[in-house]
Each structure stands twice: as structure tokens, then as C-alpha cells.
Amino acid sequence: MKTIIEPFKIKVVEPIHMTTPEQREGVLQEAGFNLFLVKARDVLIDLLTDSGTGAMSSEQWAGIMRADESYAGAESFYRFERQMQEITGFTHVLPTHQGRASERILFELIGGAGKVVPNNAHFDTTRANVEHSGAEPVDLPIDEAKDPKNRHPFKGNINLQTLEDLIGRVGADRVPAVMVTVTNNSGGGQPVSLENLRGVRAICDRHGIPFFLDACRFAENAWFIKMREEGQGDRSVRDIVREMFDLADGATISAKKDGIVNIGGVLLLRDDALFQNATNLLILTEGYVTYGGLAGRDLEAMARGFEEVLREDYLDYRIRSTAYLGNQLTEAGIAIVEPPGGHAIYVDAKAFCPHIPPAEFPGQAVVAGLYRIGGVRAVEIGSVMFGGGGHAPPAMELVRLAMPRRVYTQSHIDYVAEAMSELHARRDTLRGLRIVDEPPALRHFTARFEEL
Ligand SMILES: *Cc1c(COP(=O)(O)O)cnc(C)c1O
């Protein structure tokens, strides 16, 4: 069948509003051309992020009503813990309020000055937490990942050779963990193969270094493995997921992605001593171990979300929907990071507006243009997000169109493709931007711009 059937029907609806071009112009000016500073009610289709923006199921809402809100030892925690143990095989399961809380706890314990943390590509909060601990984050993507046109099936892979070289150069004692992000968010939502994860495990074993997953999109990654990796097609997603986690010593997870909840995170650990220390920090800053800064109802929603995300009809719909948007853009002549990733389409902004140099933020220009033309909100992943603060400019200037889970229908996506095509037709009119105000870190969230 050609039609991508949504494996659900809609029971609750939320109106969205079209704005006039004049209104959008005013909104852009007021927000200093930073879409993070735009009110959601002024957005028609919000592809800013797939994080915490998913629609929960009737089962998740039912769980919310049933939740146990006891401070200690709540039933909801044990249901959540059991679910995570069953899916991942990890014995130590800590709930946190979101992914970055797991990262903060982990790197406060294993990071520190003089340490180096390799990753296929650090997500922005992961990078910031590694740096905040005093350690140095190093991205080691494979060469194919640097070429947007390259259709390597596992473009999220970490470069095993440069990983080995790095460990040899700085010494294993300075590398507290190797991290691999599945799927690779900053690198285009591209998957990592099982073969690559096994390779990382072997290198970590050889040097006695722990291996951690940034496992925000573990289910989407497993679906790509099932679809693309030799010899994996007959395995269940659940089985592949289990092998991915079995290869690691720990994982940080934002449940706002493949947990299909609006808030929540997880820290998974194998080491008893590390778990004890993480527990102490959790209690210090997040909350008691059986709720970790969340309500019992959040734990119920997570337990069910992590179960539902493993449904193969859901993953088929999910990954095909993303590819559907990517294919429409490609057909309109718009260059994207190929092949389409799991949770988002990444438009190549350098190719979109070659007349705007990286220092004038071509990605931000496309983001502003897309809002202006159709009220669609996207996000820049390029020099705004990763530049500044003495960082070298990133290899790619991208615009991410992230797909909230179970929220938009095919006609919403057709509309987005139409708005992008229209913008592409008028791309010569796009103008670069200049930053007029920026914070010391994570500047993309609050910086203000002026059009040149
Ligand atoms: C979202 C995300 C995080 C951080 O999670 P939050 O819940 O936003 O704190 C970390 N890593 C990756 C790959 C992510 O996509």
C-alpha cells in the first residue's frame, strides 16, 4: 500500500490558527527573529522540536488517572521501573525530569577538567553538560556524515578509527566514557548500526572505558536497523532494542522523544557504585529516587509510552511519515540531509541560500522565511546553535523540521512542503542576520537578531 496509514484515530482535537502576513511580520520583529521567542499561539504548524510535543494515547491518559502520587515507594514508580528493566535489561533505573538532568548527574560524576568525552555527535545539552563539568566533548562522526548528499544507511555511526586514535592520543584514563547518540540528532537524525555499536563495545573493552548511549530515540534507531542492516530484518524491534542496550554500560534518555510523553527522563546504569552516587545527586537536586522530579502520573505515562513506541506499525508509520516530507522537498529541488532521518528532515541551508555566508546565519534566514511565508516554525541547527563562544563554525548549516509524534496528519505535512517550495522559489529574497544580543551559553534559545 502506498498510503501511510496513521495507526490510530483522533479522539481529542486542539484548534490551530492561521495568522495574516502582517501579523507574522510583527511577531518576527518582536521576537528578534528567534522562533524560540515566538508564542505558540502565533504558530500554525510547529516543527520546532519533536521533544515533549507528542500526543499521548488513551492508555497513557488512563494511566495518569490511576497514578500513585505517594512520595516514596509509589506503585507508579515500580511499574515504570519494571517496564524499563524489561525493555532495556538495566537493573538500575532512575527517573529524572528530562534528558539533560540525567546528563547533568552523569557528567558531574564522571566528567571533570582534563577529561575528554567522545561521541558520534553531542546533542547541544549533552555538549553543554560535558563542558560544564570541565571536560571536553569531541564529535567523531564518520566522513560520510559530513556530506549531506551521501546516502549511507547508517550515517549516525561513530568513526571507530578516529575513536581509537583519540583514545591512543589522550590516554584511556582521560576518557571517562564513550558516548553514542541514537539516533544522531545533531547529525540529521541518522541511525547507528548494530555493527558500529558492537565496534564501540570492543574498543571500550580493550581500553577499559565505559560505554554510554544517549538513547533518546532508541526505538527509531532500532527500526532503521531492522529495515537496513544486513541480517536484522527478521528480528523484532524489541529484540534489537535489547541488544543495543545490552552493549552499553549506561544510558541517558529524554522520555520526551521515544517515551512519547510531555515531560520525563531516565538514567540507566549497570555499575552499583555509580548508581549509588547518582542516587545521592538525584535526591539532592531532582527528588527522591522513586519519583526523580516527576509526578507519579508522569511515570505512568512514560511506562506506557516506552511500550507503545516499540509497536512496529507505529514505527513504520513514523519513519515513513518523515521520509514523506523529505521526498516532497527533494522533488521540489530542495537539498536535504539524505537519506531522511527518523524524527526530522534537515534542510541544507548553505545550498538553499548560497548568497548568505555562514557568519550571517543562512539557516536562521530560512527559519525566518518559512515562518513569514506560512506560519511554520522550524529551528536552525548550524552556526547559531553551535557557533559563538570561540567554537569553530560547524560543518553544515541546517534547518530542522522536526516531526512531533502522532500530532500532524498528512495534509499538515503537505502544507509544510508547499510552504517550503514557495520559499525556495523566492530564495533570492532571503537576507542574512546579525546577532544583536546573546547569552553566554546555549545562545540559540534566547539570542536576538536583526535582518541585514
Ligand atoms: C532531547 C535530547 C537530549 C536532552 O533531553 P531533554 O529532555 O531536552 O533535556 C539529549 N540528547 C538528545 C540526542 C536529544 O535529542
Side-chain angles (χ1 to χ4, degrees):
M1 294 279 189
K2 212 167 95 249
T3 302
I4 306 169
I5 183 93
E6 286 95 356
F8 51 80
K9 55 185 178 174
I10 296 165
K11 175 142 62 184
V12 179
V13 296
E14 180 183 337
I16 52 178
H17 304 286
M18 193 45 153
T19 44
T20 65
E22 295 72 39
Q23 284 169 331
R24 291 197 294 277
E25 200 53 51
V27 166
L28 272 180
Q29 298 289 345
E30 202 176 308
F33 295 89
N34 185 341
L35 276 284
F36 279 104
L37 303 179
V38 168
K39 295 190 179 88
R41 67 155 189 259
D42 293 326
V43 175
L44 182 69
I45 296 185
D46 203 346
L47 306 185
L48 181 74
T49 176
D50 65 321
S51 178
T53 53
M56 290 204 288
S57 67
S58 46
E59 275 304 308
Q60 286 176 294
W61 283 108
I64 281 174
M65 290 307 294
R66 286 217 342 240
D68 177 357
E69 301 294 350
S70 304
Y71 188 98
E75 251 326 284
S76 298
F77 169 74
Y78 294 111
R79 259 196 290 282
F80 160 74
E81 184 188 43
R82 213 161 38 240
Q83 183 66 264
M84 296 316 291
Q85 287 171 338
E86 264 173 41
I87 292 171
T88 68
F90 278 94
T91 42
H92 299 313
V93 179
L94 290 173
T96 59
H97 81 276
Q98 58 185 93
R100 70 196 68 182
S102 303
E103 292 166 358
R104 204 266 307 156
I105 291 170
L106 179 67
F107 290 109
E108 189 162 330
L109 293 172
I110 69 169
K115 306 257 175 77
V116 177
V117 179
N119 198 322
N120 47 349
H122 286 84
F123 181 66
D124 57 356
T125 61
T126 324
R127 168 174 296 275
N129 273 295
V130 169
E131 285 176 346
H132 185 70
S133 81
E136 182 196 348
V138 180
D139 291 349
L140 303 173
I142 56 172
D143 290 340
E144 289 86 342
K146 295 166 198 158
D147 171 12
K149 286 268 160 277
N150 193 302
R151 293 187 63 92
H152 190 289
F154 291 102
K155 245 175 145 172
N157 283 355
I158 192 167
N159 188 325
L160 296 175
Q161 189 54 55
T162 55
L163 174 61
E164 190 77 76
D165 294 347
L166 176 82
I167 296 169
R169 197 167 63 247
V170 305
D173 54 332
R174 283 181 60 203
V175 182
V178 175
M179 206 151 187
V180 174
T181 307
V182 294
T183 55
N184 181 352
N185 189 355
S186 317
Q190 302 291 330
V192 178
S193 70
L194 262 186
E195 186 191 19
N196 191 250
L197 294 175
R198 290 180 189 136
V200 174
R201 177 75 266 169
I203 290 174
C204 286
D205 281 344
R206 239 185 344 270
H207 296 281
I209 300 172
F211 172 22
F212 277 78
L213 288 174
D214 177 341
C216 294
R217 298 177 183 80
F218 67 94
E220 291 172 6
N221 198 82
W223 181 255
F224 281 116
I225 288 174
K226 182 180 167 84
M227 290 296 114
R228 295 182 184 170
E229 191 160 352
E230 184 139 6
Q232 303 300 324
D234 293 333
R235 293 177 73 182
S236 68
V237 163
R238 189 176 283 275
D239 195 31
I240 294 169
V241 162
R242 182 56 192 270
E243 182 176 345
M244 287 165 52
F245 282 110
D246 279 347
L247 287 165
D249 298 298
T252 55
I253 302 181
S254 167
K256 302 171 72 171
K257 322 299 172 41
D258 274 355
I260 327 186
V261 292
N262 306 119
I263 196 73
V266 194
L267 178 58
L268 300 169
L269 297 167
R270 259 186 241 293
D271 185 81
D272 295 334
L274 191 57
F275 170 67
Q276 204 46 61
N277 292 334
T279 300
N280 297 340
L281 269 187
L282 185 83
I283 295 172
L284 185 68
T285 57
E286 288 280 303
Y288 186 61
V289 278
T290 60
Y291 71 87
L294 295 168
R297 52 183 170 268
D298 298 319
L299 299 172
E300 291 283 349
M302 275 203 283
R304 286 163 174 74
F306 280 121
E307 179 67 31
E308 289 171 12
V309 79
L310 296 176
R311 284 187 56 158
E312 302 198 358
D313 57 355
Y314 162 76
L315 285 167
D316 182 46
Y317 142 79
R318 169 80 180 152
I319 302 302
R320 283 177 67 198
S321 303
T322 305
Y324 174 78
L325 174 60
N327 294 340
Q328 288 209 65
L329 298 188
T330 313
E331 277 160 28
I334 298 168
I336 63 166
V337 174
E338 298 194 48
H343 68 291
I345 294 301
Y346 294 69
V347 174
D348 181 347
K350 273 187 194 165
F352 203 100
C353 23
H355 59 292
I356 303 177
E360 293 174 9
F361 311 121
Q364 197 66 23
V366 173
V367 166
L370 182 60
Y371 179 74
R372 208 173 235 146
I373 219 164
V376 177
R377 176 153 68 173
V379 68
E380 192 258 17
I381 301 208
S383 284
V384 176
M385 186 176 278
F386 296 115
H391 294 296
M396 293 191 275
E397 299 291 336
L398 303 174
V399 170
R400 186 182 72 182
L401 302 165
M403 307 277 276
R405 291 168 181 78
R406 309 190 289 206
V407 170
Y408 294 118
T409 63
Q410 195 160 3
S411 57
H412 289 120
I413 299 309
D414 287 338
Y415 174 89
V416 172
E418 210 177 310
M420 279 298 288
S421 307
E422 188 59 36
L423 184 67
H424 191 245
R426 304 186 211 164
R427 61 191 180 280
D428 293 347
T429 64
L430 287 174
R431 287 187 282 159
L433 296 125
R434 167 175 65 218
I435 292 187
V436 290
D437 186 25
E438 70 178 297
L442 295 172
R443 68 176 177 178
H444 53 290
F445 288 125
T446 52
R448 297 181 70 85
F449 302 84
E450 228 169 51
E451 270 186 322
L452 292 164

